[in-house]
Amino acid sequence: EKNGTIELLGKTYQTDHVTNIRSSLIPKIGISLHNMKHHPLNLLKQQIVDYFYKNFINRQKNPVFSVYDSISPVVTLHQNFDSLLVPVDHVSRKPSESFYLNSQYMLRAHTSAHQSDLIRTGLNAFLVFGDVYRRDTIDSSHYPIFHQAEGVRLYRGQELFSKMNITGDYQIFENGEKNETKQPLHTKEAVMILEHELKSTLESLAFELFGKDVETQWVDAYFPFTHPSWELEIKFQGEWLEVLGCGIMEQELLTSAGAGDQIGWAFGLGLERLAMRLYSIPDIRQFWRYNDTGFMSQFAVKDPSTPIKYKEVSSYPQRIYNMSFWLTDGYSENDFYDLVRNVGGDVVEQVRLTDDFYHPKKKRKSHCYEIVYRDMSKSLSKEEANIIHKQIGEAASRELGVENRW
Ligand code: PHE
């Protein structure tokens, strides 16, 4: 970043009042872990691709899905939001949620950002793999960059019914009512088939990856670009973990993308979440050890479906600190989390809000955070941790205007 411009993937972007991308993120953009040979995210990607190639074939026995894994993560706000019918006042548009290059470009917050463009090229079945970016909390399963797989499948008229060997005079469109189970233009017969195919496809994928014993459950969800919508959760360490969102694509989206005569489903799943569960990787930062043979050698298999149980090479100690300060107007937790990552880097394992306190006399709010430091490749000394913690405190008061409480 210099002179109000950002250089990214060979292009220059003018910064403006909405720019909030931070320097420590830039070297990671375009690394594409999902395309790196022997990286766990690549093994998972290959398994997902193989599953769709095997289970969706045309009459000539060729796979119907095409795969896109190298689309630039820099997208327009239109691609990320408007093309997906995200309302102008939707929370996901807030600057505290995403990384903006300027008021026109951002780092994609989901691979759904490419749905509309790919449909417009005439495709009716595709998978997109890519790195996505979100400002979020800091813990073992959240990191500002993660990876998603997107899937879209469209059908034209009778294709849907003949595929299921259903004969009779069924239609996919009607001029009906919108309700909990369908959109106004969709017939309930068409939606039933799509919902069944979508859910059984994704559930079978979970069984294929994790074995028949994995516990799964569907929960109703909301996305602006699908209706109805669902999330699939899988049981992980005794807790339900949300791994994907999906639904019947909004007809308005398809019409705007030049495919108003088709009907279809879409899903988006988080690769790290699945890979952590699949390979027993305890912390999301581990995925960035792609230069570390202690990590990568454990995934060096020929067949991507080989079962692998990751063993932590060694576990270095945690250093746990507290930080509390008085808040300023307009303070956002995500601004603080971002700053912590920017100053502390990957040595920060977790940040937790432990106290949210209002002082009635001073009429001021204060927050206390617990920050856990741990280096993944060596033991972090107390002195080193002290320095980082102090730097974070200083940066917080300088950049966020908060007032430290000692
Ligand atoms: N893009 C959504 C997310 O990131 C997931 C999704 C994709 C939901 C496609 C529905 C259809 O949460």
Side-chain angles (χ1 to χ4, degrees):
E1 191 182 345
K2 66 168 188 283
N3 300 333
T5 62
I6 298 174
E7 290 280 341
L8 198 54
L9 305 174
K11 294 218 174 88
T12 307
Y13 299 88
Q14 292 292 326
T15 57
D16 63 24
H17 61 288
V18 303
T19 307
N20 67 354
I21 181 164
R22 56 170 203 247
S23 51
S24 66
L25 202 58
I26 291 181
K28 294 196 163 76
I29 301 172
I31 296 276
S32 298
L33 297 177
H34 58 288
N35 292 336
M36 235 175 235
K37 192 175 178 189
H38 294 155
H39 192 280
L41 296 179
N42 181 256
L43 296 181
L44 176 58
K45 171 188 149 195
Q46 287 190 60
Q47 291 187 77
I48 295 170
V49 170
D50 290 344
Y51 172 82
F52 279 90
Y53 279 0
K54 197 174 71 198
N55 289 289
F56 290 85
I57 47 171
N58 61 19
R59 270 183 241 105
Q60 293 79 43
K61 302 261 188 296
N62 292 317
V64 302
F65 275 83
S66 19
V67 176
Y68 294 81
D69 60 13
S70 306
I71 308 178
S72 168
V74 179
V75 298
T76 60
L77 275 62
H78 180 89
Q79 289 174 297
N80 197 80
F81 299 121
D82 306 80
S83 78
L84 292 158
L85 316 171
V86 176
V88 279
D89 57 355
H90 196 263
V91 284
S92 65
R93 295 203 189 227
K94 284 208 208 150
S96 60
E97 300 300 304
S98 298
F99 292 106
Y100 290 89
L101 298 180
N102 55 36
S103 19
Q104 207 190 343
Y105 291 99
M106 64 186 293
L107 298 175
R108 67 183 161 218
H110 52 181
T111 42
S112 303
H114 304 295
Q115 278 188 10
S116 183
D117 291 343
L118 291 170
I119 292 168
R120 194 170 295 106
T121 68
L123 293 169
N124 63 4
F126 56 86
L127 298 171
V128 181
F129 292 86
D131 36 337
V132 301
Y133 299 76
R134 288 189 204 169
R135 302 181 70 194
D136 213 330
T137 47
I138 300 183
D139 64 29
S140 66
S141 65
H142 289 89
Y143 196 77
I145 313 182
F146 62 102
H147 296 75
Q148 283 188 327
E150 188 89 6
V152 166
R153 178 69 172 124
L154 303 180
Y155 293 97
R156 214 173 239 115
Q158 283 312 115
E159 209 186 343
L160 189 62
F161 299 107
S162 55
K163 176 185 159 106
M164 297 283 161
N165 292 317
I166 298 171
T167 50
D169 186 24
Y170 291 111
Q171 303 295 319
I172 56 174
F173 294 120
E174 68 174 18
N175 239 324
E177 305 263 300
K178 173 173 175 153
N179 62 37
E180 268 161 47
T181 61
K182 68 171 211 70
Q183 298 171 35
L185 290 177
H186 295 167
T187 64
K188 65 174 192 305
E189 293 79 16
V191 172
M192 263 171 56
I193 297 175
L194 288 177
E195 174 176 350
H196 174 78
E197 181 179 70
L198 172 62
K199 286 185 171 175
S200 58
T201 297
L202 294 169
E203 252 174 301
S204 307
L205 173 64
F207 293 137
E208 181 104 352
L209 292 171
F210 297 108
K212 278 267 172 280
D213 293 334
V214 68
E215 286 182 75
T216 59
Q217 72 178 15
W218 287 103
V219 291
D220 290 335
Y222 166 80
F223 300 103
F225 36 95
T226 50
H227 181 75
S229 310
W230 305 277
E231 280 169 354
L232 180 67
E233 300 184 337
I234 60 176
K235 202 58 154 310
F236 181 42
Q237 291 172 348
E239 279 179 50
W240 289 108
L241 183 71
E242 178 212 316
V243 293
L244 68 86
C246 66
I248 311 301
M249 297 182 74
E250 278 289 346
Q251 207 55 36
E252 190 186 331
L253 187 165
L254 293 175
T255 303
S256 314
D261 58 333
Q262 299 177 71
I263 176 170
W265 48 253
F267 70 83
L269 59 83
L271 294 181
E272 276 85 349
R273 290 270 178 102
L274 288 175
M276 286 173 80
R277 167 81 166 74
L278 193 57
Y279 303 121
S280 308
I281 298 173
D283 189 303
I284 194 165
R285 291 174 300 164
Q286 304 270 352
F287 291 102
W288 289 91
R289 294 175 61 186
Y290 58 89
N291 276 326
D292 178 342
T293 53
F295 179 74
M296 290 296 276
S297 63
Q298 300 195 32
F299 301 96
V301 292
K302 258 224 195 81
D303 175 359
S305 67
T306 311
I308 298 169
K309 196 166 162 30
Y310 171 70
K311 284 171 229 67
E312 237 174 322
V313 190
S314 60
S315 197
Y316 298 101
Q318 292 179 322
R319 305 259 173 225
I320 304 174
Y321 288 68
N322 288 304
M323 181 174 292
S324 47
F325 42 72
W326 298 108
L327 308 188
T328 43
D329 285 345
Y331 173 83
S332 114
E333 271 175 60
N334 279 351
D335 284 340
F336 180 64
Y337 297 142
D338 235 30
L339 177 142
V340 173
R341 269 272 186 253
N342 209 19
V343 177
D346 282 358
V347 165
V348 180
E349 181 165 285
Q350 185 171 19
V351 182
R352 214 159 51 84
L353 178 63
T354 51
D355 192 35
D356 186 351
F357 165 77
Y358 181 73
H359 195 293
K361 282 230 184 70
K362 292 193 171 156
K363 292 201 169 50
R364 289 185 85 178
K365 261 183 104 161
S366 93
H367 275 180
C368 180
Y369 295 90
E370 178 191 84
I371 308 181
V372 180
Y373 302 95
R374 170 153 51 186
D375 196 317
M376 289 184 300
S377 49
K378 65 173 174 52
S379 183
L380 184 72
S381 72
K382 261 214 177 84
E383 291 70 29
E384 288 169 309
N386 284 344
I387 293 171
I388 298 165
H389 192 68
K390 187 157 171 273
Q391 285 170 343
I392 291 174
E394 286 166 358
S397 73
R398 190 174 60 241
E399 291 172 32
L400 305 179
V402 300
E403 195 184 313
N404 291 332
R405 297 177 54 194
W406 306 107

